[in-house]
Amino acid sequence: MARSDEYGHDVPTEQDAVKALADLIGPQLAEGLWTLAVQALGMRRPVTTPADLRRVAEHIMEVGELSRVAGRSLKVRIITYEALARTTIQA
């Protein structure tokens, strides 16, 4: 995981997101689902920005119950990261 020196928390990455999804549905399905979601949104891998990761997470949340859990977890992590980053910049 990449580290953010601004506030000492890990920056969300595509690799982390796919691994979390794989923990629920298996690595092959996770890779396939992630790739399809990225393509459906007109993006390319690797997804690198928190905003794009959030878009993919939201898309994955619409697929099914297990993917909803992984997508929501990623979305919460990204929102937290962005909120903390804004607080650090304003301080």
Side-chain angles (χ1 to χ4, degrees):
M1 287 184 215
R3 194 83 172 152
S4 172
D5 293 333
E6 288 87 27
Y7 66 91
H9 285 28
D10 293 328
V11 178
T13 67
E14 180 185 74
Q15 183 179 5
D16 298 333
V18 174
K19 183 187 179 319
L21 190 57
D23 289 345
L24 293 173
I25 64 173
Q28 290 179 328
L29 284 175
E31 279 291 329
L33 179 57
W34 187 267
T35 298
L36 288 173
V38 169
Q39 290 173 350
L41 293 168
M43 294 190 277
R44 292 183 182 207
R45 291 187 71 179
V47 179
T48 56
T49 68
D52 286 344
L53 286 168
R54 184 178 343 141
R55 287 182 59 211
V56 177
E58 289 169 347
H59 187 80
I60 286 175
M61 287 169 54
E62 299 173 9
V63 174
E65 295 301 319
L66 288 177
S67 61
R68 184 173 298 128
V69 172
R72 187 170 310 279
S73 176
L74 176 60
K75 184 177 177 180
V76 167
R77 183 166 173 227
I78 292 165
I79 290 169
T80 302
Y81 171 81
E82 290 173 331
L84 288 171
R86 280 192 304 272
T87 301
T88 302
I89 292 169
Q90 293 174 0

